[in-house]
Amino acid sequence: MTVPVLALGALALSACSGSSLGQSGGGGSDGEIKVGLLVPLSGVYAPLGQDMRNGFQHYLDQHEGKLGGRKVKVVTADEGEGPQTGVPTAQKLVTQDQSAVVVGVVNSATALGLRDFFTESKKPLVIANAGADAITGANKSEYIWRTSFANGKVGAPLGPAVAKEVDGSVYLIAADYAAGREQVSGFRKTFEAAGGKVAGEKYTPFGKTQDFQPYLSGIRGSGAKAVYSFYAGAEAVSFVKQYKQFGLAGKTQLYGAGFLTEGGVLDAQGQAAVGVKTSLHYSTEIDTPRNKQFVADYRKAFQKAPTVYAVQAYDSAAVLDKALANAKNADGAELIKAFAGVGTIDSPRGQWSFDANHDAQQKYYLREVRSSGGTTVNAVVRELG
């Protein structure tokens, strides 16, 4: 998103940086831990928020409502569509609701707008989706940890694979906002390093593009043998359907970041998405006992398949489970020490751990949309290097 990051109020900062929360702020007298869950429950991102809420709750349901052996009270709040709503709502989770830790956040601008607040408040924020590269990285905060992905790392593993598979140049196209540019940049860097050639690069107006025909004509005229794209939500549905209608599918291989064909987006695309190849760190089709059991249990609980958004929130609960088991109390400084020592997470996506930048160091998979049992799935072709 290109929404300006909001300035944080000095009053809000002072309200939660003192001793009012006690040495183990967020913990009740009976040892109960308050966890703030900040996800969009309204607006365009609401489907993602519901998946994240389900994923987090699913982990709790499997562990008798406890994390680290301590009973958990989840305080759920609506992030909305951006920092105008997400930032003050997150502040309230800490200052008024007295959450020991906050989990969630879909929008990158919201996450960036909250970094200083959580750092100065000395409260951990576990990012379960927002992908802006600058959230972590070289300027990381000790109080910000991410169980999802960094934008530039999603397409990067796909670059060498595409350079090897495609005999010719590749056209790059994405929505014109930070995530689109970071996703394309990550792919392009490794693609060109592997000898790949770029036929052209185009960014379409974010949230405003409904007719992709002029851009599809540009792709056809470029002579590209394949396309790498980044779209999500309604734009992903429109782009993939129109790519098929325009006659490019089957002739010019379409690749993309996995959000192009993830969850409800794939359901809406239907057969138009068959053959699209993507890179992502999760698929329901990962062929491991751990994932098969997770998918079966999740379907039973929510009558639908899990998505990457659900898994990221599920894993956030797993991180908290291990951290709280090793923390002396729920004090923020104590918790972040425990975060640093959680080690390997045994996830449906495969085993992963935090890297030095507090990002998830994880496997990425080459996925291909295929028809299966009357529906479409993101079949796993192989792991990406």
Side-chain angles (χ1 to χ4, degrees):
M1 298 288 287
T2 54
V3 184
V5 176
L6 299 185
L8 301 175
L11 179 61
L13 289 174
S14 62
C16 58
S17 59
S19 59
S20 60
L21 297 184
Q23 183 65 22
S24 56
S29 58
D30 58 354
E32 181 182 75
I33 302 296
K34 282 187 179 180
V35 176
L37 185 62
L38 181 68
V39 294
L41 302 176
S42 61
V44 67
Y45 301 120
L48 279 65
Q50 188 59 58
D51 284 352
M52 293 166 70
R53 188 176 189 177
N54 289 348
F56 194 86
Q57 186 60 48
H58 190 48
Y59 189 95
L60 285 178
D61 291 343
Q62 291 181 329
H63 293 80
E64 301 179 340
K66 296 180 179 180
L67 295 177
R70 309 183 193 195
K71 186 174 178 58
V72 171
K73 179 178 180 180
V74 179
V75 183
T76 305
D78 185 3
E79 178 187 347
E81 294 188 356
Q84 297 95 331
T85 54
V87 168
T89 301
Q91 291 174 343
K92 179 179 179 296
L93 283 172
V94 173
T95 59
Q96 295 184 37
D97 299 314
Q98 297 192 3
S99 300
V101 57
V102 174
V103 176
V105 189
V106 165
N107 187 286
S108 286
T110 299
L112 290 167
L114 287 170
R115 183 169 51 191
D116 290 348
F117 172 79
F118 278 88
T119 301
E120 295 183 34
S121 302
K122 296 185 178 180
K123 296 293 177 183
L125 173 63
V126 181
I127 304 292
N129 188 71
D133 292 344
I135 292 171
T136 51
N139 297 318
K140 68 179 183 296
S141 162
E142 291 304 309
Y143 288 87
I144 311 297
W145 300 75
R146 181 154 54 186
T147 64
S148 52
F149 58 91
N151 285 330
K153 295 180 180 180
V154 179
L158 189 57
V162 174
K164 184 176 181 180
E165 287 185 7
V166 177
D167 184 17
S169 59
V170 173
Y171 196 96
L172 311 178
I173 186 168
D176 190 10
Y177 69 124
R181 290 183 177 272
E182 288 181 346
Q183 292 273 353
V184 168
S185 177
F187 170 83
R188 182 168 188 163
K189 182 177 180 179
T190 60
F191 173 67
E192 291 184 323
K197 303 298 181 183
V198 173
E201 186 171 355
K202 191 69 177 180
Y203 294 92
T204 58
F206 174 59
K208 300 178 181 178
T209 305
Q210 297 179 349
D211 181 9
F212 286 94
Q213 183 169 331
Y215 306 105
L216 298 174
S217 295
I219 291 171
R220 175 178 287 171
S222 73
K225 298 299 183 182
V227 172
Y228 176 81
S229 62
F230 173 78
Y231 289 103
E235 287 186 321
V237 175
S238 297
F239 181 77
V240 168
K241 282 188 170 183
Q242 291 177 38
Y243 197 89
K244 173 76 170 180
Q245 294 165 356
F246 199 73
L248 287 172
K251 297 179 180 178
T252 307
Q253 176 64 51
L254 178 58
Y255 295 91
F259 313 104
L260 185 68
T261 61
E262 182 66 10
V265 167
L266 181 57
D267 295 337
Q269 291 163 343
Q271 294 298 309
V274 172
V276 176
K277 295 182 179 182
T278 61
S279 167
L280 202 62
H281 47 287
Y282 181 68
S283 167
T284 56
E285 309 308 297
I286 295 173
D287 190 15
T288 62
R290 177 76 177 92
N291 187 52
K292 288 180 177 179
Q293 188 63 56
F294 172 77
V295 172
D297 292 343
Y298 190 95
R299 283 185 181 275
K300 184 177 180 181
F302 303 106
Q303 291 74 56
K304 62 180 182 179
T307 64
V308 69
Y309 312 109
V311 171
Q312 290 167 172
Y314 182 87
D315 284 359
S316 296
V319 166
L320 287 177
D321 194 9
K322 296 185 75 171
L324 285 166
N326 294 321
K328 296 178 182 178
N329 53 51
D331 175 70
E334 183 67 26
L335 277 176
I336 64 166
K337 291 179 184 178
F339 275 118
V342 296
T344 301
I345 302 298
D346 183 20
S347 167
R349 69 176 105 168
Q351 293 189 339
W352 67 271
S353 59
F354 287 117
D355 65 16
N357 291 325
H358 299 180
D359 276 322
Q361 184 170 302
Q362 59 195 336
K363 296 176 182 177
Y364 282 88
Y365 303 91
L366 175 61
R367 316 183 313 170
E368 181 177 358
V369 178
R370 296 174 183 168
S371 293
S372 176
T375 185
T376 49
V377 298
N378 286 296
V380 174
V381 177
R382 60 182 171 86
E383 289 181 20
L384 291 166

